[in-house]
Amino acid sequence: MGNQSGGQQIDTKIKEALEKNDQDLARAKIQKYLDKEQNVPLNIAVTGKTGSGKSSFVNAIRGIDNKDEKAARTGCVETTMEVTPYLHPNYPNVIFSDLPGIGSPNFPAAKYLKEVEFKKFDFFIIISADRFKENDLKLAKEIQKMEKKFYFVRSKIDDNIRNEKRSQKEFNEERTLIQIRKNCIQGLQDQGLQSPQVFLVSSFDLTLYDFPLLVETLKEELPELKKEAFLLAMPNISLDMIKKKKKAFQAKVKYFATLSAAVGAVPVPGVSVAVDTALLVSVVTTYVLGFGLDIPSLKRMANYSGVPYEELKEVIMSPLIATELTSQLLLRLLVQFGSLAALLAAEEGFRFIPILGIPVSMGLSFTFTYSSLNMILDMLADDAEKVFTRVCT
């Protein structure tokens, strides 16, 4: 789907299926096309010593509360006894693996380095709740040998800020954060690591401190094919994040419109409209999931943020959210807009005009799908921003 020939490669198969009036096969071909990039695997390892907050971080980065049934187990003692993969709730191709704490009695450093299958991971997040220790450095050096990326995350920063605020007469949060970061970096440099970068994070509020910078750094350093998988799997931690997701979706609208135009070339009554709306449902569903506006995601957000689910629904304007998305529902929404309804009617009419009808119909089909997706994308991005703003107020 990453280039213009992607749609052309399957046009023939779709047209053949439609000419045989096999709409189910055509939809299957289209769905396979849509799924191609969504199934790019991304394996992220989260590791660190016992009690560092690994499991809480794994839950937070997936947008899941620690009490959720899909949550990684958390606790003050070692709760991760083996490499435990946790799938993203909306993007099962994105896997966060909670690794056993290095240096615990069950997993001494030497055994740890041998038994954990490091090669399968795309990058590593090394977490500590205080200064990074010798075992963390050993781990980083082993990862370096494999020419993989690793990132140091200093967790539980909210606890540090709270404690410092209680103990200092003249508390200054910015100064405290600078000092924590400086101490972590100095500790790593003292152990022989050059130019380490440390991100300060609270798993209980990802909008604070360095988490947005961590996400941007991870995304930019991933291979091109995996950038989007990572971006869409991230929780909406800022309005800028929502805008970046919208931009990623927008970049592919023209390919879906090209696919729609190919369907518009089939001279079978009603087929183009039926397949166009089926295509739109599939694409719009990916938008809803990417923005975290499906019912399970909104409920998880409600649990995580403490804002009741019903209050989140109240700020949503689009009728396509928090409901079952069907072709009928989508078509009812689109025909409310006069220009789109006119395009649909014109497309059906031109298809049966000799010689010139098919090219015109293909153009109208392209325009209908292109306009519809852009309009819906604007609508859903606006709602995602409203939900984010409500959660943060």
Side-chain angles (χ1 to χ4, degrees):
M1 203 187 307
N3 55 63
Q4 193 160 3
S5 64
Q8 295 170 353
Q9 291 171 2
I10 63 167
D11 285 352
T12 302
K13 292 181 180 179
I14 292 174
K15 283 199 269 187
E16 286 174 356
L18 292 173
E19 285 166 354
K20 295 175 183 176
N21 207 22
D22 191 344
Q23 293 186 30
D24 289 337
L25 178 59
R27 290 191 186 99
K29 296 290 183 186
I30 291 171
Q31 192 60 53
K32 183 178 179 181
Y33 175 76
L34 295 176
D35 289 343
K36 185 177 179 181
E37 275 194 1
Q38 292 173 17
N39 291 327
V40 173
L42 180 60
N43 291 289
I44 301 165
V46 182
T47 185
K49 72 176 186 177
T50 302
S52 62
K54 295 182 288 95
S55 298
S56 292
F57 182 85
V58 168
N59 293 334
I61 203 169
R62 294 186 301 144
I64 288 179
D65 185 84
N66 284 340
K67 298 176 183 177
D68 192 281
E69 61 180 12
K70 295 181 180 179
R73 289 177 59 203
T74 59
C76 297
V77 296
E78 181 60 53
T79 56
T80 306
M81 305 308 293
E82 58 185 9
V83 177
T84 309
Y86 292 94
L87 277 59
H88 189 280
N90 288 346
Y91 296 91
N93 56 306
V94 179
I95 302 170
F96 299 87
S97 289
D98 190 357
L99 274 55
I102 186 170
S104 67
N106 292 326
F107 296 96
K111 180 181 177 182
Y112 187 93
L113 295 174
K114 290 177 183 177
E115 292 192 358
V116 174
E117 299 177 53
F118 275 9
K119 290 184 179 180
K120 69 181 180 183
F121 298 109
D122 290 292
F123 61 82
F124 297 78
I125 295 173
I126 303 173
I127 294 184
S128 178
D130 43 49
R131 286 171 69 92
F132 292 93
K133 303 289 178 24
E134 182 182 355
N135 282 335
D136 298 316
L137 191 67
K138 281 183 182 178
L139 194 58
K141 288 182 176 179
E142 288 299 316
I143 296 168
Q144 272 185 327
K145 287 179 185 177
M146 297 184 301
E147 299 183 344
K148 300 259 185 174
K149 294 283 188 178
F150 61 89
Y151 306 88
F152 290 106
V153 169
R154 173 64 161 77
S155 64
K156 303 184 181 181
I157 292 299
D158 47 336
D159 289 345
N160 296 120
I161 294 296
R162 189 164 47 249
N163 293 337
E164 290 293 320
K165 195 172 185 178
R166 287 173 180 168
S167 62
Q168 292 183 14
K169 183 177 290 186
E170 295 182 2
F171 172 74
N172 182 291
E173 181 173 308
E174 185 177 354
R175 184 176 61 223
T176 301
L177 292 172
I178 291 172
Q179 189 60 47
I180 292 172
R181 188 182 290 105
K182 182 179 177 181
N183 287 344
C184 289
I185 291 172
Q186 187 62 53
L188 289 166
Q189 288 176 333
D190 289 346
Q191 297 179 73
L193 197 66
Q194 294 184 348
S195 305
Q197 190 173 11
V198 177
F199 299 89
L200 310 185
V201 167
S202 164
S203 293
F204 292 97
D205 191 342
L206 299 183
T207 64
L208 297 176
Y209 317 123
D210 293 340
F211 187 78
L213 176 61
L214 172 64
V215 168
E216 186 61 25
T217 303
L218 295 177
K219 182 176 75 71
E220 288 307 310
E221 295 186 359
L222 277 169
E224 197 62 38
L225 282 175
K226 302 199 177 193
K227 285 182 189 290
E228 186 173 306
F230 179 76
L231 172 66
L232 297 181
M234 287 298 96
N236 293 335
I237 55 171
S238 65
L239 294 176
D240 185 56
M241 171 71 80
I242 294 169
K243 287 180 171 61
K244 286 178 179 175
K245 289 184 178 184
K246 179 182 177 182
K247 185 177 179 181
F249 285 133
Q250 236 162 7
K252 292 197 172 96
V253 167
K254 59 180 177 289
Y255 301 126
F256 298 127
T258 300
L259 188 57
S260 174
V263 175
V266 180
V268 179
V271 160
S272 182
V273 173
V275 176
D276 276 353
T277 51
L279 171 66
L280 289 173
V281 167
S282 295
V283 178
V284 172
T285 298
T286 67
Y287 294 171
V288 172
L289 292 174
F291 286 127
L293 296 173
D294 56 298
I295 294 173
S297 292
L298 288 171
K299 288 185 175 178
R300 284 193 296 268
M301 194 181 302
N303 291 334
Y304 192 83
S305 66
V307 179
Y309 171 67
E310 293 302 324
E311 289 188 23
L312 294 181
K313 283 181 64 178
E314 284 176 5
V315 303
I316 291 170
M317 302 299 292
S318 171
L320 305 177
I321 298 173
T323 187
E324 182 184 357
L325 187 57
T326 64
S327 296
Q328 291 76 17
L329 174 63
L330 192 58
L331 198 55
R332 281 201 302 272
L333 171 66
L334 296 176
V335 296
Q336 291 176 16
F337 297 87
S339 58
L340 295 178
L343 281 170
L344 271 180
E347 180 189 343
E348 280 299 293
F350 273 102
R351 181 172 291 107
F352 304 103
I353 297 176
I355 304 175
L356 294 179
I358 291 298
V360 173
S361 178
M362 290 174 68
L364 292 170
S365 185
F366 179 97
T367 304
F368 170 75
T369 300
Y370 187 87
S371 301
S372 297
L373 286 177
N374 276 303
M375 183 198 71
I376 292 169
L377 193 50
D378 287 342
M379 191 184 304
L380 296 181
D382 285 346
D383 278 337
E385 291 183 3
K386 290 188 180 82
V387 169
F388 175 80
T389 302
R390 176 65 189 87
V391 166
C392 292
T393 55

